[in-house]
Amino acid sequence: MTFQASFNLPQIRLKKKNKGDFKSKSSLCHLTKPLLAVAFLASFGSSMLYGYNLAVVNSPAKYIKDFYNETLLESHGLTPDGHLLTVLYSLTVSIFAIGGMTGALLVGRLVTKYGRKGTLVRSTALVFMGGALMGFSRWCRIPEMVIIGRFITGVHSGISLSVVPMYLGEIAPKNLRGFLGLVPSIHICLGVFIAQVLGLSEILGKEEHWPLLLSLVAVPTMVQLILLPWFPESPRYLLIERGDVHATIAALKWFRTKGNIQAEVEEMQEEQRSLSSMQTLSVCSLLMDSCVRWQVLTVAVVNIGMQLSGIDAIWFYTNDIFRNAGIADPYIQYTTVGTGAIEVISGMLGCFTIERLGRRPLMIGGFLFMGLCCAGITVSVLFQLSYMRYISVGCVIGIIAGFCIGPAGVPFLITAELFKQSHRPAAYTVAGCLNWMSNFTIGFVFPFLEIATGPFCYLIFCVVCLGVAVYTFFIIPETKNKTFLEISQMFATKNEICEEELYPNSELKMALMNGYGTLDFHNKK
């Protein structure tokens, strides 16, 4: 394999003692305007839409059910009962997750073929298609357009929910990976808040405006489509998967106005030489790879846990939860908007503290607090005293705050951190599928679960939250300020692998001619 470039670096031979050099050099990297701009732009046109679509169906739920009722009567002469309308509305809510799971299945191939940024840019077409279908559904009197539009926007969210943290995790220096990795979670919370504000009856929460409310997803996507192509691709993708050193160095110079670019390139090359194969692994290969079994299990636990924690039930059915708690109908929408503001504040708190506290404290603390609040909702609903409604609202706010501080973003971040370049796309495919499958399960089953078990359904969420917190405490190591290769080493003992398996190419050396002119890989004799 031969890479071409023109950048001066000293001759390099892989040695363990150089790892400390990488740590000291890369710590010179600081947050730059290009890094901050691409983090906000990628999240604004992708992650924010995920949050928006989670909450946007909450406010116009009655109008959507009325629309289904009217069109079924017009087209088929049917007058659906309450149970059928509940099923249709649950399908409208949960079909978004089916689309998300479909998108997650495509992530591995897309990011390998088009790159991280390239995938985000190309996937914007899905938002325009889905938004148009939902926007014109009432005018066309076709209820299927709402469901299909939700599915298509779900496909986009399934792609972007994995690709955005992957992209940001690969462009960020390791001392800023946590901060940039939680920028998407802030935008998810912001999307939920915007949907709640726009859904107020004084703005777009009226019967004639609900199609417009659903189709507004096209606006931030248009901004992303115009601006994101001007930013570079992931340097790790360019070097490790494409072998384009020229583009790698240009991308690093764009993102790093300060810092030691040479040290980062060396760290990427160390990871590159540690890979037994330059090919991106398939999902089946990832699941069969004993070297990463604990990483895969960890990704499964945290992604399933974040959805089965009850947060989606809160987002999808906030109004119904407050109504059952005894909040008067005229005040429910304003209470819901207040919870959205708490989400944004909590997300920002987690983003600005993650590099100080680390990943583990945010995950453990967030899930423990959510579990406590889930139990609190059960108690408040069982004892219908006058002041219990305030406890119920406080517990809902507590679940949202606990989730946004850590569990909302850390699982996506550590999915990037736990795997090396060859494993990462497949890992995000697995994580995304499990995440969306759990999302669908909650979105579709929760109304019937609540009918069957009443307030005790929140005890199920409580057990899940406590279980994930315990798993995180005993199994997941702290990954703050670690390189991807160092994190792989931390799992080596759990996976029962030796150093030769971890460094299958450790006997390879790299001869450099004319600076970075030619990189020649060959076996050491």
Side-chain angles (χ1 to χ4, degrees):
M1 183 183 297
T2 303
F3 301 156
Q4 297 295 326
S6 58
F7 187 69
N8 292 325
L9 282 176
Q11 185 169 354
I12 304 167
R13 184 184 297 268
L14 180 63
K15 295 181 180 178
K16 286 188 182 179
K17 65 182 181 181
N18 289 339
K19 292 175 186 173
D21 298 337
F22 300 149
K23 184 179 291 188
S24 61
K25 291 176 182 177
S26 63
S27 64
L28 298 175
C29 297
H30 300 289
L31 183 63
T32 62
K33 290 181 180 179
L35 269 176
L36 195 59
V38 75
F40 276 92
L41 183 60
S43 303
F44 178 75
S46 298
S47 302
M48 191 173 74
L49 300 188
Y50 168 69
Y52 185 87
N53 281 303
L54 282 178
V56 72
V57 292
N58 188 39
S59 174
K62 179 181 181 301
Y63 305 131
I64 294 174
K65 290 178 182 178
D66 290 342
F67 172 64
Y68 289 165
N69 190 28
E70 294 168 6
T71 51
L72 285 173
L73 183 61
E74 293 170 5
S75 303
H76 306 287
L78 296 175
T79 303
D81 57 16
H83 179 75
L84 179 58
L85 286 176
T86 300
V87 170
L88 288 174
Y89 179 71
S90 295
L91 179 63
T92 304
V93 171
S94 56
I95 197 70
F96 177 71
I98 296 295
M101 188 165 60
T102 304
L105 289 171
L106 302 173
V107 166
R109 291 186 178 182
L110 292 175
V111 296
T112 301
K113 183 175 181 179
Y114 300 114
R116 283 57 167 154
K117 184 202 73 174
T119 298
L120 288 176
V121 172
R122 286 169 172 81
S123 65
T124 55
L126 295 169
V127 179
F128 298 121
M129 292 170 54
L133 285 169
M134 293 185 292
F136 290 105
S137 59
R138 189 168 183 265
W139 183 72
C140 297
R141 309 298 292 173
I142 303 177
E144 292 84 358
M145 291 174 66
V146 179
I147 298 174
I148 295 172
R150 287 276 294 174
F151 173 81
I152 293 175
T153 54
V155 174
H156 171 265
S157 290
I159 294 171
S160 61
L161 202 63
S162 294
V163 178
V164 171
M166 188 189 307
Y167 181 41
L168 298 183
E170 292 183 4
I171 68 174
K174 65 181 182 180
N175 61 311
L176 292 174
R177 207 163 54 226
F179 173 79
L180 293 180
L182 289 195
V183 169
S185 69
I186 294 179
H187 282 80
I188 292 173
C189 298
L190 184 62
V192 171
F193 178 64
I194 291 173
Q196 292 167 341
V197 172
L198 293 179
L200 290 173
S201 58
E202 293 85 353
I203 306 179
L204 295 179
K206 301 174 183 176
E207 184 174 6
E208 63 270 22
H209 293 324
W210 68 261
L212 175 61
L213 185 64
L214 297 182
S215 64
L216 282 178
V217 290
V219 176
T221 304
M222 178 64 74
V223 176
Q224 185 187 75
L225 181 61
I226 293 172
L227 298 179
L228 189 59
W230 297 97
F231 288 85
E233 183 55 83
S234 159
R236 305 188 80 88
Y237 170 80
L238 293 171
L239 179 63
I240 298 177
E241 297 187 42
R242 290 300 183 204
D244 191 339
V245 187
H246 275 301
T248 301
I249 295 165
L252 284 172
K253 286 183 176 180
W254 178 285
F255 290 125
R256 314 276 194 269
T257 56
K258 298 178 181 179
N260 194 328
I261 293 177
Q262 173 180 325
E264 288 206 59
V265 175
E266 291 172 3
E267 186 267 318
M268 293 180 202
Q269 290 169 339
E270 181 182 8
E271 179 180 344
Q272 184 183 51
R273 295 193 297 277
S274 75
L275 301 176
S276 58
S277 170
M278 297 307 298
Q279 299 296 321
T280 300
L281 268 67
S282 66
V283 171
C284 290
S285 299
L286 175 75
L287 297 178
M288 297 292 291
D289 190 348
S290 60
C291 295
V292 292
R293 69 164 66 93
W294 276 101
Q295 289 96 313
V296 173
L297 179 60
T298 295
V299 164
V301 169
V302 297
N303 278 276
I304 293 175
M306 72 181 290
Q307 296 297 342
L308 299 187
S309 65
I311 188 63
D312 284 327
I314 299 294
W315 275 335
F316 287 149
Y317 303 102
T318 306
N319 289 3
D320 291 339
I321 292 171
F322 285 153
R323 189 173 292 111
N324 293 337
I327 304 297
D329 282 352
Y331 302 106
I332 287 178
Q333 60 178 343
Y334 304 107
T335 308
T336 301
V337 170
T339 64
I342 297 295
E343 293 172 33
V344 178
I345 296 171
S346 301
M348 294 180 65
L349 180 63
C351 186
F352 285 103
T353 58
I354 187 170
E355 292 299 352
R356 179 181 296 272
L357 299 178
R359 284 68 161 152
R360 278 166 45 84
L362 293 185
M363 283 279 286
I364 296 170
F367 275 112
L368 285 177
F369 192 62
M370 290 175 70
L372 180 64
C373 291
C374 284
I377 290 181
T378 300
V379 173
S380 65
V381 176
L382 285 175
F383 299 96
Q384 290 288 347
L385 302 176
S386 58
Y387 62 87
M388 281 296 180
R389 69 184 64 181
Y390 303 109
I391 294 178
S392 182
V393 172
C395 288
V396 169
I397 293 174
I399 292 173
I400 292 173
F403 180 77
C404 292
I405 286 175
V410 175
F412 298 110
L413 169 63
I414 65 173
T415 301
E417 294 183 326
L418 296 185
F419 296 91
K420 293 185 286 188
Q421 194 79 10
S422 59
H423 296 65
R424 198 169 295 130
Y428 268 104
T429 298
V430 172
C433 287
L434 293 174
N435 194 302
W436 286 102
M437 191 182 302
S438 304
N439 183 298
F440 170 78
T441 301
I442 289 297
F444 190 79
V445 171
F446 178 75
F448 305 101
L449 181 66
E450 190 177 32
I451 292 172
T453 63
F456 294 103
C457 65
Y458 295 98
L459 293 182
I460 300 173
F461 302 143
C462 175
V463 172
V464 171
C465 291
L466 296 179
V468 178
V470 170
Y471 181 90
T472 303
F473 182 81
F474 286 105
I475 301 298
I476 303 178
E478 181 55 66
T479 59
K480 182 180 69 172
N481 207 31
K482 300 286 194 304
T483 67
F484 295 124
L485 206 56
E486 289 171 340
I487 295 169
S488 295
Q489 293 173 359
M490 294 164 69
F491 275 92
T493 303
K494 286 186 175 66
N495 291 321
E496 298 179 354
I497 59 176
C498 58
E499 185 175 347
E500 287 73 17
E501 291 178 281
L502 190 63
Y503 295 101
N505 292 334
S506 60
E507 294 300 315
L508 295 181
K509 72 175 183 177
M510 183 169 55
L512 283 81
M513 301 171 58
N514 300 323
Y516 234 137
T518 302
L519 300 185
D520 180 30
F521 291 85
H522 55 85
N523 288 325
K524 182 179 178 181
K525 302 296 184 183

